[in-house]
Amino acid sequence: TDDTRIRAAIPTIKKVLAEGGSVILMSHMGRPKKNPDPKYSLEQIVPAVEKNLGTKVEFAGDCIGEKAAEMAKNLKPGQVMLLENLRFYAEEEGKPRGLAEDASKEEKDAAKKALKEGPQKEFVKKLASLADCYINDAFGTAHRKHASTAVIADYFDAGNKMLGYLMEKEVKAIAAVMEKPAHPFCAIIGGSKVSSKIGVIKALIEKVDSIIIGGGMTYTFAAAQGGKVGDSICEPDMFPVALEILELAKQKGVQLVMSPDALIADAFSADANTDVAPADNIPDGWEGVDIADEGKKAFREHILGCKTILWNGPVGVFEIDKFATGSKEVALAIAEATKKGAYSLIGGGDSVACINKFGLADQVSYISTGGGALLEYIEFGDLPGVAAIRD
Ligand code: AMP
């Protein structure tokens, strides 16, 4: 559906070919649970890779095994081969398959340990034996300690493993924002749940001047402070965390900006009835699905006053056009601020999809190919995929 990540990997591949090397591409697509699974075969991307690279790409049909090994051995300088989806093997992620649904945590942990200590090592050895050099250019999965993204680096000497150009570009773009940002620095954090963004919000409080909180998270914050959120998405077990964030922001002098109003819907669908309500007083039977006029005005004005802007997560259910106008306003304001000289970094599949949906991709400073990786890099200041190459 989208070749952004393929295009992003091309400069590194071309560099290797231009220097007289041959390239074995390995990657994953989707979350296959079996081997093989034609729906997720990487054979489908061969035409897109060939088109972007301008070179023929041979498909190996598997990622390990005799055929792949034979093809790798016979590769000549300038030639490219593509391995089959790494995630056809449970060894790639190190997540055991076929466990009984009612397996206990102990059983699951034991199966994971056994997989990582046995089959995963064999799998990685076979992958590593295909090549002389290992380049990691997969920023989008650099926060995972998987066989192909981190473990494999142990099988190459320091001089024979490196980061690709995309990785370098991504890491530099994030460093530009996190290390020496121009102020005021605002992070816009949307999406569905507090639980998945909590770590990054806490880390950002140490760095930014303000955080715009949008999306489904709004209602956990509202309810934690005694508001009424109707049927909106809400995580009661996150109330203490939401209150802690509010307190922490106050202590650090970080402004938390939330929409005073909400677009509410009586169903999670395009043909739902809609209305507007205060974000902390939503009637039962209705749920907050986007920001409304007051929120749009507040977010826009705030964004226009900033010099560094980081955006992760839509501020509404942008997949449904009727609920996408808040996210569109945010995207437009970011583009306008960028035009006025602000540095804007957009990351996370959904925010990037928003920017693309509204045709603004060329009006922001940097679009990251990573979602989880971007957030974890901000949170921890490092990523397993990057550390594996360096250490
Ligand atoms: P995340 O993966 O956490 O960044 O969340 C992205 C998802 O959040 C998108 O699919 C949005 O539809 C969803 N989202 C945004 N606002 C809301 C909301 N008010 N209620 C439910 N889901 C939302």
Side-chain angles (χ1 to χ4, degrees), residues 178-201:
M178 299 311 290
E179 282 164 18
K180 276 187 246 123
H183 291 273
F185 177 9
C186 169
I188 306 160
I189 306 294
S192 51
K193 293 180 169 170
V194 177
S195 48
S196 60
K197 305 275 163 102
I198 165 73
V200 74
I201 293 178

Side-chain angles (χ1 to χ4, degrees), residues 190-193 196-197 214-219 232-233 268 287-290 312-319 350-351:
S192 51
K193 293 180 169 170
S196 60
K197 305 275 163 102
M217 268 188 289
T218 312
Y219 310 104
S232 305
I233 188 169
F268 202 79
E287 61 188 299
V289 288
D290 196 4
N312 174 273
V315 299
V317 186
F318 81 104
E319 296 92 336
D350 288 314
S351 337

Side-chain angles (χ1 to χ4, degrees), residues 139 170 188 197 309-314 344-353 355 366-372 374-375:
F139 182 73
E170 296 271 11
I188 306 160
K197 305 275 163 102
I309 302 155
L310 167 74
W311 184 24
N312 174 273
S344 51
L345 169 62
I346 322 294
D350 288 314
S351 337
V352 176
I355 283 282
Y366 189 77
I367 296 187
S368 174
T369 57
L374 172 77
L375 296 185

Side-chain angles (χ1 to χ4, degrees), residues 115-131:
L115 178 63
K116 287 198 167 176
E117 285 174 0
Q120 189 185 60
K121 284 205 170 123
E122 288 310 307
F123 179 73
V124 171
K125 257 190 229 165
K126 285 181 192 163
L127 281 179
S129 72
L130 298 176

